[in-house]
Amino acid sequence: MDNKQTQHELLKGFEIDGFRNDLINWFIQEQRDLPWRKDQDPYKVWVSEIMLQQTKVDTVIPYFNSFIEQFPNIESLANAAEDKVLKAWEGLGYYSRARNLQSAVREVYESYGGVVPNNAAEISTLKGVGPYTTGAILSIAYGVPEPAVDGNVMRVLSRVLHIREDIAKPKTRKLFEAVIRDMISRDNPSFFNQGLMELGAMVCTPTSPSCMLCPVQEHCRAFHEGVQRELPIKSKKKSAKQVSLVAGIFKNEEGQYLIHKRPSEGLLANLWVFPNFIKLDELGTTKQQLESLMKTEYGLDVEMGDYLCDIRHVFTHLVWDINVYVGTFHGTPPADRKDVVLVTEEEMLEYAFPVSHQNMWKEYKK
DNA sequence: TAACCGTGGAG
DNA sequence: TCTCCAAGGTT
């Protein structure tokens, strides 16, 4: 609980000035040329930080470029249709990030005159902006000396300062924030924060850190003690639970396919999918279940066709095993079902699908 | 606090 | 194939 005392102990005898200078000078020399580093536009910094949450740089780059091209500023994103935003996010995962980002951008547009707030009190109230993102935007876009503690920072500092707290525990982040508040450069908080993250990504990597290339090697307690591979301490998460699903790609006489919009909260919220249901053993064969559920759920008579394929969709905390069938349907779904549409192959391109359903379609088109 | 929320790549 | 990971946030 007493972080103040703990962090004071941790920094006793540590050469903060030397560490800070070596880190920042290394970052100036070695930083990667990334699209969101071309300027410090707070909006672009914000978009990049949201995309980078739990996502690798190489994955983000093409999404960032395309997103900024479509929504170059606060106003354009605030006025965009949510479906367009989700389509731009398609395949990137954690889709609530996209919906929260647009919601927060709309608030900035309406309540802050389109200017991203430059203080923690206001910016941290925005949807999808937590402690890390608050610090990242403030330090990178506005030069405010606020900690930005992510996984990289906790790993790097666990090693440099030989901290053995479990970084998987939420409470541990606060200790690192307290440490950073004592360490961060007042002259260049942006490069200090980015330097820690860049070092974590490029040198002080999780499994085999390149200590011989490290600009802060001489400051690193773990290196001196030869324990860098034991750090950081991180407890393991529970394994994912498995769920069996059945899904169908159904086409009518006019070449239209039936797709369904998922609910606005929870897993894959507001994304579009082919009809799919949790499999229940007591309801007969998979094929029979699908036929009967299409009647129950959509009021549609279907003719079942062939088995198509199995698709496995692995989430962080869940695994879907999906048996996919093809079939035909007749008639139209109830008019009040706004979450169900009939689309041609051409029109389908405008809808955002999760990767598993994109893969179903690819199999279907083979 | 711990569970929930995606995806693709590395080892 | 399996586990872990990656610039976290929300509930």
Side-chain angles (χ1 to χ4, degrees):
Chain A
M1 186 63 240
D2 199 350
N3 276 349
K4 186 71 183 167
Q5 187 148 15
T6 312
Q7 119 243 11
H8 182 72
E9 290 290 322
L10 285 169
L11 288 173
K12 198 158 69 178
F14 185 79
E15 287 186 42
I16 295 178
D17 285 340
F19 173 80
R20 210 158 39 203
N21 288 336
D22 290 343
L23 179 68
I24 289 174
N25 287 331
W26 173 81
F27 182 73
I28 290 170
Q29 292 285 335
E30 304 292 339
Q31 65 168 299
R32 288 169 290 179
D33 187 13
L34 301 173
W36 46 89
R37 287 179 177 165
K38 286 192 282 197
D39 58 58
Q40 288 104 259
D41 176 358
Y43 168 71
K44 283 187 264 184
V45 171
W46 184 4
V47 171
S48 73
E49 291 302 339
I50 300 300
M51 285 190 172
L52 285 162
Q53 289 171 5
Q54 301 292 286
T55 310
K56 289 201 158 57
V57 164
D58 288 345
T59 303
V60 168
I61 290 173
Y63 281 93
F64 176 82
N65 288 331
S66 156
F67 195 91
I68 292 299
E69 196 172 319
Q70 291 178 71
F71 315 110
N73 49 44
I74 296 275
E75 183 178 3
S76 56
L77 183 54
N79 292 325
E82 187 191 275
D83 283 341
K84 298 281 187 187
V85 179
L86 280 175
K87 185 65 186 177
W89 211 271
E90 182 184 47
L92 197 53
Y94 287 139
Y95 299 95
S96 68
R97 291 185 296 176
R99 293 182 297 111
N100 287 338
L101 173 61
Q102 189 187 27
S103 169
V105 158
R106 283 175 171 166
E107 189 182 344
V108 168
Y109 185 62
E110 289 161 10
S111 305
Y112 295 93
V115 179
V116 180
N118 65 351
N119 61 84
E122 289 177 330
I123 204 171
S124 63
T125 67
L126 297 170
K127 277 188 187 171
V129 179
Y132 163 76
T133 306
T134 296
I137 296 173
L138 287 178
S139 62
I140 297 171
Y142 292 120
V144 177
E146 187 76 12
V149 177
D150 71 338
N152 286 309
V153 173
M154 290 197 282
R155 181 174 60 259
V156 170
L157 291 186
S158 287
R159 288 169 176 163
V160 171
L161 297 175
H162 197 157
I163 294 172
R164 288 189 164 274
E165 297 294 317
D166 182 356
I167 67 167
K169 297 204 177 303
K171 185 179 169 189
T172 303
R173 196 199 73 250
K174 295 178 188 294
L175 170 64
F176 285 92
E177 284 175 351
V179 170
I180 299 273
R181 286 188 193 282
D182 281 354
M183 296 178 76
I184 193 167
S185 165
R186 266 60 189 173
D187 298 326
N188 199 339
S190 169
F191 282 15
F192 179 84
N193 280 342
Q194 290 190 78
L196 281 178
M197 292 188 275
E198 192 83 347
L199 189 68
M202 304 302 292
V203 176
C204 196
T205 51
T207 52
S208 56
S210 306
C211 297
M212 303 317 285
L213 300 175
C214 182
V216 295
Q217 185 202 83
E218 65 172 294
H219 306 283
C220 185
R221 290 173 181 160
F223 176 76
H224 288 308
E225 295 165 30
V227 296
Q228 63 270 30
R229 284 171 178 279
E230 302 169 17
L231 296 167
I233 307 291
K234 188 175 186 181
S235 57
K236 300 192 169 118
K237 313 175 192 173
K238 290 192 346 188
S239 59
K241 74 173 175 187
Q242 192 266 352
V243 178
S244 295
L245 300 180
V246 53
I249 296 179
F250 292 99
K251 186 180 185 178
N252 69 10
E253 298 84 345
E254 284 118 61
Q256 294 174 305
Y257 296 88
L258 188 152
I259 61 173
H260 166 244
K261 189 176 192 176
R262 291 179 57 83
S264 60
E265 292 185 348
L267 189 65
L268 303 171
N270 285 359
L271 268 67
W272 292 82
V273 290
F274 296 107
N276 65 94
F277 310 94
I278 294 175
K279 211 194 285 185
L280 298 170
D281 291 334
E282 60 273 24
L283 293 183
T285 69
T286 299
K287 205 168 173 175
Q288 289 169 338
Q289 283 186 40
L290 186 52
E291 180 172 7
S292 123
L293 284 163
M294 287 300 289
K295 182 70 176 174
T296 311
E297 182 66 15
Y298 302 109
L300 291 172
D301 291 314
V302 303
E303 287 167 24
M304 293 304 301
D306 291 334
Y307 159 81
L308 179 63
C309 63
D310 286 347
I311 298 280
R312 168 164 282 205
H313 192 157
V314 179
F315 302 90
T316 305
H317 62 293
L318 196 64
V319 179
W320 282 352
D321 280 309
I322 315 171
N323 301 137
V324 187
Y325 290 81
V326 298
T328 59
F329 71 95
H330 313 283
T332 57
D336 61 332
R337 288 292 297 268
K338 295 239 160 69
D339 59 330
V340 181
V341 297
L342 308 182
V343 292
T344 63
E345 193 171 336
E346 192 80 355
E347 292 164 341
M348 206 183 294
L349 299 174
E350 304 298 317
Y351 294 79
F353 290 84
V355 168
S356 53
H357 286 249
Q358 294 177 44
N359 289 340
M360 279 180 214
W361 183 253
K362 283 180 194 166
E363 282 296 323
Y364 178 78
K365 293 306 288 180
K366 270 187 185 173

